[in-house]
Amino acid sequence: MSALTMTVGVSAPAQAAWTAPWNVSAPGWLATDSPKVAVDRQGDAILVWEACDGAQPSCYHQIQARIKPASGSMTAIQNLSPLGANVAWPEVATDDDGDSAVVWEQEGRVVGRRVSSTGTLGALRTLSTTGATGMNPTVVVDPSGRALAAWTEYRGGGYYTVARYLDLDSSVGPVRDLGAGSADQPSAAVDRNGQAVVAWAENYERVVARRIRYGAPLPLRAFTSPGSGAGFGRVTVAVDRDGDAIVSFRRWRTGEQTRVWVRQWSKTDAMGTVTAVSPVTDIAAQHHALATDFEGDSMLVWTRQNTTTKTEVFGRSISRTGALGAITSLGVGDRPDLTLDDDGDGMVAWHTPGPPSTPTQVMSRTVTRTGSFGTAKTVSTDGRVPQVDASPTGRSTIIWQQRSYPYTIHAITGP
């Protein structure tokens, strides 16, 4: 255990009611890894996942989606992609009114399409460069509905970070080469004025980012300097209402523990200090998540490897001035995800080992704007890889994959 004093079991306001969990994927279809959810400002959710038809002799995959209004029943399942052997890793984002963009990998390319708030599908678009291998896409949508996709391309013997706009009418902008990248997924965020930030690891040697304003990338900014024996990855970015950004990343260095760090980047281009969030005595594991509210106060959750080969989840607030809150132990688990509403209330979800008959279960805790966490709730006794997003008032939707056969996708809304 870390020598640092930690807060455990912080109290929070009483939770409101949760809905009952509901099945998202179709009977007879097998769901696979990494379902995603995005919630608009009315509380309507779009749910996206990778599925395969269990009735077929070979599992050909398809990206599927459906919409769950804040009140009322889910829409019918929409097939977003053609069936294929290599269809994977969907990502989704939505605008204020529920018009969404979905991107994914399809047979070595990055593709995407728009989904309207009523479920109408736009044209399927290939986004990645012809002749390149496109992978690890992400997407953001600004309040007016303009989507920006970012991804990694492998071409000419090197990795590059690339971005492209996908508009409401399904038209696409030019491919924007942002710079040398890595096999890691880039991260993107967008403010209320429509300015985006894309951050990534450059050859694992340093963390860099660009702002993209009105379609044109601004100059590259470095968040770290290359160092002897140092490596960087798992880059995540979040922005507040006005465009002040915070970037988190893992750093490993010869002779040091792997830790999670952050650096703030103001809308006026001022850079904060590089700050370690996880303790020096702990080994940060692979996954962490970052979110920021409208005023620029943030929360970061991360995992660490403990002495019994299990991972544990921790959380810590980061104020808009860079002050760190107390570390809270959230429990044994892995693959955390995090969301905050406009005012800084929100939800963290993760999966954790369950009883012997159930390999993993999905857990959640509320987050308050003061940086405290509510009591743990067991969302599912048979689930993994949860993802969460919230409405402006903090009502959250969690989506996850059932751990046992037939790997059904489930979701729940609360509190």
Side-chain angles (χ1 to χ4, degrees):
M1 292 291 291
S2 167
L4 189 63
T5 300
M6 298 178 184
T7 304
V8 181
V10 180
S11 62
Q15 295 184 0
W18 289 76
T19 65
W22 66 88
N23 290 350
V24 178
S25 53
W29 282 73
L30 310 180
T32 53
D33 209 350
S34 198
K36 299 292 179 177
V37 59
V39 178
D40 69 16
R41 295 191 68 80
Q42 286 71 52
D44 304 324
I46 180 170
L47 309 153
V48 178
W49 67 99
E50 174 193 344
C52 71
D53 188 350
Q56 299 300 317
S58 181
C59 190
Y60 278 79
H61 301 271
Q62 193 162 46
I63 303 302
Q64 299 183 335
R66 66 195 311 181
I67 295 168
K68 174 64 171 69
S71 58
S73 302
M74 281 187 295
T75 62
I77 292 173
Q78 296 269 37
N79 293 322
L80 304 190
S81 75
L83 284 167
N86 297 294
V87 183
W89 310 120
E91 296 283 343
V92 62
T94 194
D95 70 6
D96 287 5
D97 300 321
D99 295 311
S100 304
V102 185
V103 296
W104 64 92
E105 293 179 26
Q106 179 102 25
E107 312 296 349
R109 298 167 293 137
V110 171
V111 299
R113 73 191 314 168
R114 301 302 304 249
V115 182
S116 78
S117 60
T118 59
T120 301
L121 300 185
L124 183 66
R125 297 299 190 196
T126 297
L127 302 177
S128 52
T129 306
T130 301
T133 299
M135 64 188 80
N136 294 329
T138 189
V139 67
V140 291
V141 180
D142 72 19
S144 69
R146 195 179 195 199
L148 179 71
W151 64 92
T152 296
E153 283 188 1
Y154 184 78
R155 47 185 156 84
Y159 290 101
Y160 298 88
T161 297
V162 184
R164 194 173 196 180
Y165 281 99
L166 175 60
D167 287 327
L168 275 167
D169 63 359
S170 298
S171 62
V172 294
V175 174
R176 301 287 189 177
D177 229 335
L178 302 185
S182 67
D184 274 9
Q185 182 185 42
S187 181
V190 66
D191 65 25
R192 297 294 298 169
N193 300 309
Q195 179 172 262
V197 178
V198 180
W200 69 96
E202 181 188 81
N203 297 317
Y204 300 109
E205 294 175 347
R206 63 175 184 167
V207 176
V208 296
R210 283 185 187 266
R211 286 191 163 101
I212 301 180
R213 180 182 297 159
Y214 310 123
L218 298 182
L220 186 77
R221 289 302 304 258
F223 282 69
T224 61
S225 300
S228 176
F232 302 91
R234 297 287 181 178
V235 177
T236 303
V237 63
V239 297
D240 68 11
R241 171 174 48 200
D242 301 321
D244 296 308
I246 181 171
V247 173
S248 63
F249 53 91
R250 291 174 77 241
R251 188 186 81 181
W252 55 94
R253 187 192 295 272
T254 303
E256 293 182 5
Q257 302 279 36
T258 299
R259 302 173 73 185
V260 180
W261 301 72
V262 298
R263 191 170 192 182
Q264 292 170 316
W265 183 24
S266 78
K267 59 181 177 288
T268 61
D269 206 35
M271 300 289 284
T273 59
V274 179
T275 303
V277 178
S278 62
V280 68
T281 51
D282 291 353
I283 301 174
Q286 285 291 319
H287 297 285
H288 69 269
L290 175 71
T292 295
D293 66 16
F294 266 17
E295 299 302 321
D297 295 315
S298 304
M299 177 66 69
L300 189 144
V301 294
W302 71 94
T303 53
R304 78 162 187 197
Q305 194 74 40
N306 67 21
T307 56
T308 61
T309 70
K310 292 181 179 179
T311 54
E312 299 172 275
V313 182
F314 295 87
R316 191 174 203 178
S317 62
I318 307 161
S319 78
R320 68 196 76 172
T321 63
L324 298 178
I327 293 177
T328 299
S329 172
L330 303 181
V332 173
D334 202 0
R335 298 291 291 271
D337 193 38
L338 173 68
T339 185
L340 296 180
D341 68 10
D342 292 357
D343 299 323
D345 298 309
M347 182 78 64
V348 58
W350 70 97
H351 70 221
T352 185
S357 60
T358 305
T360 54
Q361 54 191 7
V362 175
M363 307 295 296
S364 74
R365 291 176 75 160
T366 55
V367 179
T368 74
R369 67 195 68 182
T370 61
S372 62
F373 294 85
T375 57
K377 171 183 171 57
T378 301
V379 175
S380 170
T381 57
D382 183 6
R384 60 184 299 273
V385 293
Q387 296 285 295
V388 59
D389 198 20
S391 73
T393 58
R395 184 110 170 130
S396 297
T397 297
I398 303 174
I399 189 171
W400 68 93
Q401 177 196 1
Q402 184 174 307
R403 176 63 178 81
S404 61
Y405 184 84
Y407 320 121
T408 309
I409 300 298
H410 300 271
I412 193 172
T413 295

